[in-house]
Amino acid sequence: KAGVTQTPRYLIKTRGQQVTLSCSPISGHRSVSWYQQTPGQGLQFLFEYFSETQRNKGNFPGRFSGRQFSNSRSEMNVSTLELGDSALYLCASSLAPSDRPGNEQFFGPGTRLTVL
Amino acid sequence: KQEVTQIPAALSVPEGENLVLNCSFTDSAIYNLQWFRQDPGKGLTSLLLIQSSQREQTSGRLNASLDKSSGRSTLYIAASQPGDSATYLCAVLPGGTSYGKLTFGQGTILTVHP
């Protein structure tokens, strides 16, 4: 069974540009969550989608948005990039919505975004 | 607000030692606690998941325990090997309005030298 895949693996952008990251969950998984990882802040929750609906959102500005498609694939978009957006963006998938006891989350390899 | 703390921040041990990594959390209202490992520049690999109703889980040389009432979990690694070198992260899945938001500790960087 293929794991969580994320594309692209590496991205270099300049300030002010926008970027779209993609995540394909494990087959059969309907929940996708996004996290940002930086050396200073560690891992922080961005948002979770289940059945094409955003269920919860972390404390990030509106420049960060996402969506989920009917095949459970998810995209994350960051507009008007800032230097501080440089980070490893991780996607996680799970069978059910994450507010279920025993619901294990599986992470992809991440997309390394560098903003110059 | 749920906060997760991991101690120690870094640990260096010789091969073959048994070791314990610690994780504490401030709010006992959790659904699960999950231990991950992360190799440099890579994603997270799930090691063990303990549901709030469980006390421990085992997988090979790994054993994780959970004491929800005291807000503590430990990850025990037996007979450590150089391949165990990685950052180990503890994460709790809170209940209430914070559902869905896995809250992570800062990690323990483990180095096992031959």
Side-chain angles (χ1 to χ4, degrees):
Chain A
K1 203 176 200 182
V4 179
T5 57
Q6 292 187 245
T7 56
R9 294 292 313 280
Y10 302 92
L11 264 179
I12 299 176
K13 293 284 188 179
T14 56
R15 278 182 298 174
Q17 287 187 309
Q18 79 164 29
V19 67
T20 299
L21 313 181
S22 179
C23 171
S24 293
I26 292 171
S27 178
H29 285 196
R30 295 167 62 194
S31 174
V32 172
S33 299
W34 289 88
Y35 294 82
Q36 181 196 65
Q37 186 176 30
T38 58
Q41 299 296 316
L43 275 148
Q44 293 184 286
F45 172 82
L46 280 156
F47 23 66
E48 181 197 10
Y49 287 89
F50 181 81
S51 292
E52 302 177 67
T53 301
Q54 186 181 91
R55 301 188 74 242
N56 214 336
K57 191 176 190 303
N59 191 23
F60 280 82
R63 300 184 296 107
F64 291 82
S65 63
R67 59 179 174 167
Q68 186 180 34
F69 302 95
S70 58
N71 62 358
S72 295
R73 190 178 69 86
S74 177
E75 286 182 348
M76 189 192 101
N77 185 74
V78 188
S79 62
T80 319
L81 284 166
E82 301 177 359
L83 294 178
D85 296 334
S86 294
L88 181 66
Y89 289 88
L90 293 161
C91 160
S93 80
S94 57
L95 271 171
S98 55
D99 59 337
R100 304 287 165 85
N103 194 40
E104 191 171 3
Q105 296 198 30
F106 298 89
F107 282 76
T111 293
R112 172 76 61 186
L113 172 64
T114 302
V115 182
L116 302 176
Chain B
K1 180 190 168 188
Q2 178 74 266
E3 291 183 2
V4 180
T5 304
Q6 291 187 244
I7 294 173
L11 184 62
S12 181
V13 300
E15 182 177 4
E17 271 206 8
N18 302 324
L19 55 99
V20 174
L21 307 182
N22 297 291
C23 171
S24 61
F25 47 96
T26 54
D27 188 343
S28 62
I30 64 170
Y31 285 122
N32 308 319
L33 184 142
Q34 210 168 337
W35 282 95
F36 297 89
R37 81 172 263 170
Q38 185 174 33
D39 294 288
K42 302 287 179 65
L44 277 61
T45 300
S46 179
L47 297 173
L48 289 165
L49 178 144
I50 311 178
Q51 297 184 46
S52 61
S53 59
Q54 298 174 326
R55 296 285 293 186
E56 66 177 329
Q57 284 288 339
T58 298
S59 175
R61 295 183 293 108
L62 305 179
N63 175 277
S65 68
L66 173 65
D67 184 341
K68 205 174 72 157
S69 61
S70 68
R72 294 173 191 269
S73 175
T74 61
L75 179 66
Y76 175 82
I77 302 177
S80 58
Q81 303 170 357
D84 294 330
S85 298
T87 298
Y88 289 79
L89 293 153
C90 160
V92 298
L93 188 65
T97 57
S98 295
Y99 66 82
K101 301 178 181 181
L102 264 182
T103 303
F104 287 84
Q106 290 294 324
T108 293
I109 302 171
L110 172 65
T111 303
V112 181
H113 47 90

